[in-house]
Amino acid sequence: MERHMTLGEFIIENQKDFPYAKGELSALLSSIKLAGKMVNKSINKAGLAQILGKVGKENIQGENQAKLDVMANDVFISTLKSRGEICGIASEELEDFVAFDDDIHKEAKYVVLMDPLDGSSNIDVDITVGTIFSIYRRISPEGTRVTKEDFLQSGENQVAAGYLIYGTSTILVYTTGNGVNGFTFDPGIGSFFLSHPKITFPENGSIYSVNEGNYIHFPQGIKKLIKWMQELDKDSNRPFTARYTGSLVADFHRNMLQGGLYLYPQGSTAPKGKLRLLYECNPMAFLAEQAGGKASDGERRIMELIPSELHERAPFICGNSKMVEIAEKFIEEYRAD
Ligand code: P6P
């Protein structure tokens, strides 16, 4: 019986796409795969932690969430460090970047930026969460200590980006600039198998994902866009369907497969939106563009933004190209309001 290719086989087969790489990127992607398996195992037991820890709501909820955020962060840092392919890591969970100062790691070519457990507040209600990562080549000289500038690169410089979605099944989705592919984890075998080859956004979409609880704070153009999406117009397949989980990875994954638009706009309470440019917007933007979609801050292409600090935020509009372009037109038309 024909079987699907494993993630490991796929990485090796596509290593030829990197003439200058001598397998380091492949080894790094494999370490992300291993860390994802370890985090997946802990998340699947999170419910048990709640049952075992029946000593009071705040203890379980707060400690459990804190533990899982920190657990995921520690697992990825230790697992990625152990392969020796990166000279440092920046994480949404940590105020500053982590430099690996020994001689072996200082020679490494790559840095990783990650959100180790995105949407973790959903864990206590058993809703899908994810891990998001970006890989860049360092710009500081090999053999020296990694610097903040190695992490403050525009998204265009990403060598690879992806996410793990811990949902009804666990899927690793990534790109190295040659399209987007998804691999589903088979816990019985302990391997990821190619399940979503060459993912592309459908040309049209009719899903939109936004926290409408923030509606009164949105710019006029976003308000007008939301009302436009809710109007009846059979020719443009409206009204659209609203789907919002509070987990970027889950909303992005569904919208990429079925066609949709994710919005986290700026608002009076969040002047630059909520999502972090480095750990959420850039990796998802790379994936979106590789899947034939777009990602902007409402005016500019996300991957062209030049970060000035590790935790800076950006308004984020991402999905089918057509839907992103419609959103940008509404923003432009009502900019003065
Ligand atoms: P809100 C999770 O905290 C996150 O960063 C994304 O995964 C998610 O889409 C968004 O924030 C949810 O934010 O303000 O709607 O709860």
Side-chain angles (χ1 to χ4, degrees):
M1 180 187 78
E2 184 70 13
R3 71 166 172 79
H4 294 289
M5 180 183 281
T6 67
L7 174 56
E9 292 164 342
F10 184 90
I11 291 171
I12 297 299
E13 182 170 290
N14 290 279
Q15 189 166 277
K16 62 185 180 307
D17 294 335
F18 291 90
Y20 54 77
K22 297 189 240 6
E24 300 99 323
L25 184 62
S26 299
L28 176 49
L29 288 169
S30 290
S31 66
I32 290 171
K33 174 180 70 168
L34 175 60
K37 288 182 189 178
M38 295 158 79
V39 169
N40 177 60
K41 192 164 185 288
S42 299
I43 284 175
N44 289 344
K45 287 187 304 189
L48 285 177
Q50 291 191 29
I51 293 168
L52 296 175
K54 279 193 174 194
V55 289
K57 188 172 169 38
E58 70 288 343
N59 186 40
I60 298 169
Q61 302 292 341
E63 188 182 334
N64 189 35
Q65 284 173 4
K67 269 186 184 168
L68 286 168
D69 280 325
V70 170
M71 175 279 300
N73 189 63
D74 294 350
V75 163
F76 271 92
I77 289 176
S78 59
T79 308
L80 271 55
K81 181 179 179 182
S82 66
R83 291 290 175 94
E85 305 302 354
I86 55 175
C87 49
I89 281 190
S91 166
E92 184 177 301
E93 286 298 320
L94 300 175
E95 199 49 46
D96 202 356
F97 64 89
V98 177
F100 300 144
D101 279 333
D102 58 276
D103 292 345
I104 291 175
H105 288 93
K106 284 200 289 192
E107 290 296 337
K109 285 181 188 164
Y110 299 107
V111 293
V112 167
L113 290 81
M114 66 177 181
D115 182 355
L117 204 55
D118 179 67
S120 54
S121 59
N122 282 324
I123 284 181
D124 55 349
V125 291
D126 207 20
I127 289 177
T128 296
V129 293
T131 296
I132 309 172
F133 63 89
S134 278
I135 302 174
Y136 294 77
R137 287 175 69 85
R138 67 185 301 172
I139 47 181
S140 56
E142 290 174 25
T144 64
R145 188 180 195 271
V146 70
T147 67
K148 184 172 279 192
E149 284 60 42
D150 289 313
F151 299 98
L152 294 178
Q153 301 185 51
S154 72
E156 284 181 318
N157 290 357
Q158 291 176 96
V159 172
Y163 57 80
L164 284 127
I165 178 168
Y166 310 106
T168 45
S169 55
T170 293
I171 304 175
L172 190 151
V173 176
Y174 83 98
T175 182
T176 53
N178 298 287
V180 178
N181 292 281
F183 301 81
T184 298
F185 184 59
D186 180 336
I189 298 178
S191 296
F192 286 89
F193 290 90
L194 181 62
S195 52
H196 299 73
K198 299 187 176 57
I199 304 174
T200 54
F201 279 98
E203 190 182 348
N204 296 300
S206 57
I207 296 169
Y208 73 98
S209 307
V210 65
N211 183 342
E212 294 198 53
N214 298 324
Y215 180 86
I216 56 169
H217 303 299
F218 288 155
Q220 192 62 3
I222 296 290
K223 289 180 178 177
K224 293 289 186 184
L225 167 70
I226 291 173
K227 291 309 165 197
W228 178 84
M229 291 191 289
Q230 293 171 345
E231 285 166 354
L232 177 62
D233 179 322
K234 289 299 171 208
D235 293 342
S236 58
N237 204 24
R238 286 182 285 150
F240 290 170
T241 298
R243 288 284 185 275
Y244 189 74
T245 69
S247 185
L248 169 63
V249 171
D251 287 325
F252 178 92
H253 186 74
R254 179 202 52 247
N255 292 353
M256 182 167 63
L257 295 183
Q258 297 183 347
L261 182 71
Y262 175 97
L263 306 108
Y264 209 106
Q266 70 271 37
S268 48
T269 56
K272 291 193 76 176
K274 172 186 179 183
L275 300 191
R276 287 332 202 272
L277 174 59
L278 296 182
Y279 309 111
E280 295 169 300
C281 302
N282 272 331
M284 296 321 234
F286 191 16
L287 289 161
E289 292 193 3
Q290 285 292 312
K294 283 191 171 184
S296 93
D297 65 357
E299 298 171 53
R300 298 163 297 174
R301 181 172 168 249
I302 283 286
M303 294 219 289
E304 289 173 1
L305 302 181
I306 306 292
S308 53
E309 55 181 63
L310 289 175
H311 292 280
E312 78 180 66
R313 301 169 193 267
F316 191 57
I317 298 175
C318 179
N320 305 66
S321 295
K322 280 185 184 175
M323 296 178 88
V324 173
E325 287 158 9
I326 289 169
E328 289 173 336
K329 284 197 181 75
F330 271 93
I331 291 167
E332 177 57 32
E333 184 177 348
Y334 293 93
R335 183 181 312 287
D337 292 14

